[in-house]
Amino acid sequence: MDLHETAARLGVPVEEVERVHRLAGDRPSAPLPAKADAPALLERLAVRADDAAEIMEGWPGPGSPLWTPELRWLLDRSIALVRADVGGHEWLSPGPSLPRERGPAWRHLYVYAYLALVDDARGYHRDHGIAADVSWASLADLGRNLAVDRRMRREGWPVMQSWLTLHSRGTIYELGRLQHQHNDEAIELHIPESGPMTPEAVDASLDEARAFFPRHFPDRPYPAFSCGSWLLDPQLLEYLPADSNIVRFQRRFELEPDEEQEGNDADVEVLRFVFRTLTTPLDELPRRTVLQRAIVDHLQAGRHWRIRRGHIPM
């Protein structure tokens, strides 16, 4: 196939198409679930009715006029790319960010890839003795991320489509209040949008993880929990009360030296997670909570947030 022509038709840089072609190679893909089974699966994955309706509208069935040859190629090779790395824990983009305004097939291509990989992910879970309730709770992060993307007026998906490959590859597990990502050095903690982050809920999640990972992945060392987040920025102590859940979470960690972090800009990440917007002017952001007021006041004063990394012993 002509990769330059494919890239032009997809409206993406040719380098992105070449990357998918290189990483996927001729590795096997995986089929989507039957369309008749999709509504029940989407409900199991906590996908809201409005998002599920769009996904079903764009379903890549045989002969669908929504699916051009280059879209079908990208879906097939994206599935193969992620499937080839089941068990991997590095950040992995499944493919280029598409012009999603072109319709549901374009908007949800990587959702279809995720659905095609559910059986592989669950098979990996079963091979490691992981209970079905943990398996489904972890994979249901799809619905949460689609809902957040809708709230963000479609601004959030380019990050989320890569984030969700961790779930497809059996790397993320939702154990109570926290999500836990295992790698070769530590258990990386992530904080989903799922209610108050009380000390009791955090304790229970950490205790569950301390038993979970040695039981299901005994061949890997687990010296510590690790977290890299703006939630660990000590500047928050200037604004939040000492008994706030965020401050109590932060104080669990021994922070690493404050160094420039590669990757996401902390100010952008704060706006993404606290306000679920990247484009609203600061003076139009809500100020209903102490945290919201702190974020806005800090940025309006010309200051910046920091992503800090810390550890908790296992």
Side-chain angles (χ1 to χ4, degrees), residues 48 51 100 144-160 193 267-280 285:
R48 290 175 17 152
D51 290 316
R100 300 170 71 214
R144 180 189 292 134
N145 278 272
L146 284 168
V148 167
D149 182 59
R150 185 178 285 274
R151 282 174 56 195
M152 292 182 68
R153 300 189 298 276
R154 312 294 190 183
E155 296 174 337
W157 193 250
V159 171
M160 295 173 189
E193 189 178 78
D267 292 343
V268 172
E269 291 305 290
V270 169
L271 295 173
R272 181 193 307 279
F273 285 98
V274 176
F275 298 103
R276 297 304 188 187
T277 180
L278 302 179
T279 55
T280 303
L285 291 172

Side-chain angles (χ1 to χ4, degrees), residues 41-48 139-144 147:
L41 177 59
L42 291 170
E43 184 176 0
R44 196 81 189 262
L45 296 174
V47 176
R48 290 175 17 152
L139 292 170
D141 204 29
L142 173 66
R144 180 189 292 134

Side-chain angles (χ1 to χ4, degrees), residues 299-313:
L299 294 174
Q300 286 182 328
R303 302 172 69 187
H304 297 282
W305 296 105
R306 305 280 292 174
I307 292 176
R308 298 293 302 272
R309 178 161 291 278
H311 294 87
I312 303 172

Side-chain angles (χ1 to χ4, degrees), residues 251-265:
R251 285 178 170 157
R252 295 173 182 267
F253 292 85
E254 179 181 347
L255 294 184
E256 295 180 1
D258 186 12
E259 298 176 353
E260 287 292 335
Q261 299 282 337
E262 294 185 4
N264 293 330
D265 180 275

Side-chain angles (χ1 to χ4, degrees), residues 38-308:
L41 177 59
L42 291 170
E43 184 176 0
R44 196 81 189 262
L45 296 174
V47 176
R48 290 175 17 152
D50 46 6
D51 290 316
E54 283 190 3
I55 291 165
M56 296 306 298
E57 179 188 353
W59 194 262
S64 169
L66 301 176
W67 285 82
T68 63
E70 55 272 10
L71 273 182
R72 292 188 182 275
W73 174 86
L74 180 59
L75 175 61
D76 180 78
R77 291 299 81 200
S78 174
I79 295 168
L81 184 162
V82 177
R83 195 178 190 215
D85 195 48
V86 169
H89 54 74
E90 300 295 335
W91 193 256
L92 179 67
S93 169
S97 297
L98 297 174
R100 300 170 71 214
E101 69 278 359
R102 293 188 182 180
W106 298 76
R107 188 175 304 129
H108 295 303
L109 184 141
Y110 297 111
V111 175
Y112 302 120
Y114 188 95
L115 297 177
L117 291 163
V118 166
D119 281 349
D120 285 84
R122 295 212 63 228
Y124 182 82
H125 294 170
R126 286 192 297 270
D127 289 345
H128 288 83
I130 293 165
D133 59 341
V134 173
S135 181
W136 285 114
S138 303
L139 292 170
D141 204 29
L142 173 66
R144 180 189 292 134
N145 278 272
L146 284 168
V148 167
D149 182 59
R150 185 178 285 274
R151 282 174 56 195
M152 292 182 68
R153 300 189 298 276
R154 312 294 190 183
E155 296 174 337
W157 193 250
V159 171
M160 295 173 189
Q161 70 187 32
S162 296
W163 160 251
L164 287 164
T165 70
L166 294 170
H167 306 63
S168 299
R169 291 178 286 148
T171 303
I172 287 279
Y173 296 94
E174 188 156 329
L175 305 173
R177 181 61 185 85
L178 303 175
Q179 292 169 316
H180 302 257
Q181 174 190 354
H182 65 95
N183 57 42
D184 293 333
E185 298 177 355
I187 304 297
E188 190 77 15
L189 300 178
H190 303 278
I191 303 95
E193 189 178 78
S194 60
M197 193 169 59
T198 65
E200 296 77 15
V202 173
D203 283 340
S205 184
L206 296 178
D207 286 345
E208 188 174 354
R210 289 185 175 104
F212 178 91
F213 286 99
R215 180 190 308 129
H216 298 295
F217 301 95
D219 57 330
R220 301 190 185 189
Y222 299 110
F225 295 103
S226 178
C227 185
S229 173
W230 59 270
L231 286 169
L232 301 188
D233 187 344
Q235 295 180 104
L236 286 167
L237 301 177
E238 301 175 28
Y239 303 95
L240 303 181
D243 62 349
S244 73
N245 288 336
I246 290 176
V247 170
R248 289 187 287 186
F249 180 76
Q250 185 179 120
R251 285 178 170 157
R252 295 173 182 267
F253 292 85
E254 179 181 347
L255 294 184
E256 295 180 1
D258 186 12
E259 298 176 353
E260 287 292 335
Q261 299 282 337
E262 294 185 4
N264 293 330
D265 180 275
D267 292 343
V268 172
E269 291 305 290
V270 169
L271 295 173
R272 181 193 307 279
F273 285 98
V274 176
F275 298 103
R276 297 304 188 187
T277 180
L278 302 179
T279 55
T280 303
L282 291 179
D283 59 3
E284 296 179 15
L285 291 172
R287 298 174 58 88
R288 291 186 292 270
T289 68
V290 174
L291 179 61
Q292 289 174 341
R293 292 191 292 273
I295 299 305
V296 172
D297 290 346
H298 192 83
L299 294 174
Q300 286 182 328
R303 302 172 69 187
H304 297 282
W305 296 105
R306 305 280 292 174
I307 292 176
R308 298 293 302 272

Side-chain angles (χ1 to χ4, degrees), residues 25-39:
D26 58 359
R27 295 177 173 87
S29 185
L32 269 74
K35 186 176 182 180
D37 298 332

